C-alpha cells in the first residue's frame, strides 16, 4: 500500500498550487480520500475529503472557497487545488484513504502518504 504525495513548494501569498497523491496497492475507487495538514508546531488538521465516487466533498471552513479536492479513479490519484494561498496555509500536507467512512478525524484513516511541504511566504 502506498500513497505518494507531491506538488508542494514555496509560493507567495495569493499564488496557487496543486498537490497530487498517487495511490497503489489497494482498491482506490472503494475508499474515501482526504487531505490533512500539519502546520509547524501544531496538530494535524482536516482540510478536505472526497467520497469514493467523488461527487460528495467536504472542506474545512478555513479553506472552503479557496481549495478544491478532486479525484481520478482511473488514474488512482487525488488532487488538491489550492488558490489564494495565505501564510497560514503553510504546513506539511498529507493525503489519506479511509475504507469505510467519510471522516474529518485522522484516526479513522487506514492509509497515509508521506506528506509534502507547502510554504507560503513573501
Amino acid at each position: 500500500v502506498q500513497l505518494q504525495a507531491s506538488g508542494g513548494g514555496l509560493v507567495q501569498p495569493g499564488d496557487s498550487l496543486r498537490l497530487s497523491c498517487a495511490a497503489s496497492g489497494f482498491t482506490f475507487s472503494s475508499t474515501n480520500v482526504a487531505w490533512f495538514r500539519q502546520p509547524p508546531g501544531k496538530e494535524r488538521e482536516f482540510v478536505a475529503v472526497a467520497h469514493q465516487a467523488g461527487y460528495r466533498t467536504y472542506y474545512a471552513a478555513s479553506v472552503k472557497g479557496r481549495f478544491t479536492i478532486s479525484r481520478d479513479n482511473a488514474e488512482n490519484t487525488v488532487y488538491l487545488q489550492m488558490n489564494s494561498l495565505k501564510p497560514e496555509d503553510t504546513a506539511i500536507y498529507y493525503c489519506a484513504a479511509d475504507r469505510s467512512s467519510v471522516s474529518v478525524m485522522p484516526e479513522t484513516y487506514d492509509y497515509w502518504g508521506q506528506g509534502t511541504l507547502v510554504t507560503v511566504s513573501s
Side-chain angles (χ1 to χ4, degrees):
V1 171
Q2 189 173 18
L3 288 168
Q4 184 72 39
S6 61
L10 172 63
V11 296
Q12 295 187 338
D15 283 354
S16 298
L17 202 60
R18 188 175 84 153
L19 305 182
S20 301
C21 177
S24 61
F26 63 99
T27 307
F28 179 76
S29 59
S30 297
T31 64
N32 305 300
V33 289
W35 289 93
F36 289 80
R37 67 185 182 186
Q38 187 164 14
K42 296 185 179 180
E43 297 289 318
R44 191 170 299 191
E45 61 187 31
F46 167 77
V47 175
V49 61
H51 182 265
Q52 295 171 11
Y55 58 83
R56 263 198 301 160
T57 57
Y58 301 97
Y59 297 90
S62 59
V63 306
K64 195 170 184 179
R66 299 188 297 123
F67 290 12
T68 302
I69 186 171
S70 62
R71 62 189 296 166
D72 185 338
N73 286 344
E75 295 294 330
N76 290 348
T77 302
V78 58
Y79 303 98
L80 186 68
Q81 177 67 43
M82 305 185 293
N83 299 329
S84 303
L85 283 161
K86 305 175 181 180
E88 50 264 44
D89 295 318
T90 295
I92 299 173
Y93 283 73
Y94 298 90
C95 54
D98 188 325
R99 293 173 296 177
S100 59
S101 62
V102 180
S103 173
V104 302
M105 304 299 293
E107 307 88 77
T108 69
Y109 283 78
D110 303 291
Y111 311 126
W112 287 87
Q114 85 290 357
T116 185
L117 177 62
V118 173
T119 304
V120 185
S121 175
S122 56

